[in-house]
Amino acid sequence: MDRLARAERARQIFDPHSLAAAGLVVVAALLFQPRPGPRAAILLGAMVFTWATGRKVPVLGTGLVILGIVGANLLVPVGRVLAVWGPIRVTETALLEGVEKAVTFEALIYVSKAAIRSDLRIPGRPGALIGSALRCYERILETRIRIRRATFLRDLDDILLGIYDEELSKTPGRPAAARTGRGGAGTVFLVLAAAAAWVPYLIGALR
């Protein structure tokens, strides 16, 4: 099953409002969880769910961002020295804090990618603006971006203006391209997934 087929199937199974609510519950579990292991598990689960629902999962980019955050945190040495590479001292506290920050940041990114869909409808004018922003955000994520160094700003402007013009050309009453899920197995799965995100925290709190 290719990516477009996975995305179509996900739209049929999962209701966008239930998906967004489950995402909020998982984000709360992530932020309350003090240990890096469960946070990493939430990240991996969000990456798998993102892939299963037809979204792009740039594994290499994710790894580079994690390495960048950890590396930046190591610039301020704190704690026991684990290794020395020239002028760089790898310290225990700075390393652990860097890994925790990186995993938390990427987990938030992937949970939002998995839980927020462009067909999420919020009533009122503010809801319409939010919906428009979500549709533009999804188009940016799904667009294959080609930017050249010599024309960086112009290429970036062309991409963003193209997405904006595409959004303006859509009529407010335009029907959705695919039927969205309502209840059933999708909602049960989301409830179980959101509950599972809280299990490590609750086990630690009860000890």
Side-chain angles (χ1 to χ4, degrees):
M1 187 180 292
D2 62 14
R3 187 170 65 85
L4 293 179
R6 293 197 305 271
E8 176 74 14
R9 181 175 175 81
R11 286 180 180 272
Q12 295 176 358
I13 294 175
F14 300 110
D15 170 57
H17 297 90
S18 299
L19 197 60
L24 289 175
V25 174
V26 173
V27 165
L30 174 72
L31 297 179
F32 274 95
Q33 177 55 245
R35 292 177 297 165
R39 291 192 179 195
I42 291 175
L43 169 59
L44 291 176
M47 290 177 70
V48 171
F49 188 80
T50 299
W51 176 87
T53 52
R55 301 293 186 89
K56 293 181 179 179
V57 180
V59 177
L60 178 59
T62 300
L64 291 175
V65 170
I66 290 176
L67 288 176
I69 294 174
V70 173
N73 213 69
L74 289 175
L75 295 177
V76 182
V78 179
R80 182 167 59 94
V81 177
L82 300 177
V84 178
W85 294 332
I88 300 176
R89 291 188 299 168
V90 179
T91 55
E92 183 178 18
T93 302
L95 178 62
L96 293 177
E97 288 181 351
V99 170
E100 180 179 352
K101 291 175 183 177
V103 168
T104 302
F105 174 78
E106 285 297 326
L108 289 172
I109 294 295
Y110 275 101
V111 170
S112 67
K113 285 181 67 173
I116 304 299
R117 278 198 336 222
S118 61
D119 57 345
L120 178 65
R121 296 291 181 262
I122 302 173
R125 182 172 176 78
L129 293 174
I130 293 173
S132 178
L134 289 175
R135 286 189 293 274
C136 291
Y137 174 66
E138 187 172 87
R139 286 286 292 113
I140 290 172
L141 291 178
E142 298 302 318
T143 300
R144 185 180 295 275
I145 297 177
R146 292 185 176 89
I147 296 179
R148 294 160 294 183
R149 185 187 307 175
T151 57
F152 176 82
L153 293 177
R154 187 174 65 190
D155 291 343
L156 187 60
D157 276 344
D158 290 342
I159 292 169
L160 296 178
L161 288 174
I163 293 173
Y164 179 70
D165 290 340
E166 180 182 326
E167 176 62 22
L168 285 180
S169 67
K170 294 181 179 179
T171 58
R174 182 178 178 178
R179 180 179 62 86
T180 57
R182 291 291 185 273
T187 300
V188 172
F189 176 85
L190 293 174
V191 170
L192 292 176
W198 279 93
V199 169
Y201 173 80
L202 294 176
I203 291 176
L206 294 175
R207 286 180 178 176

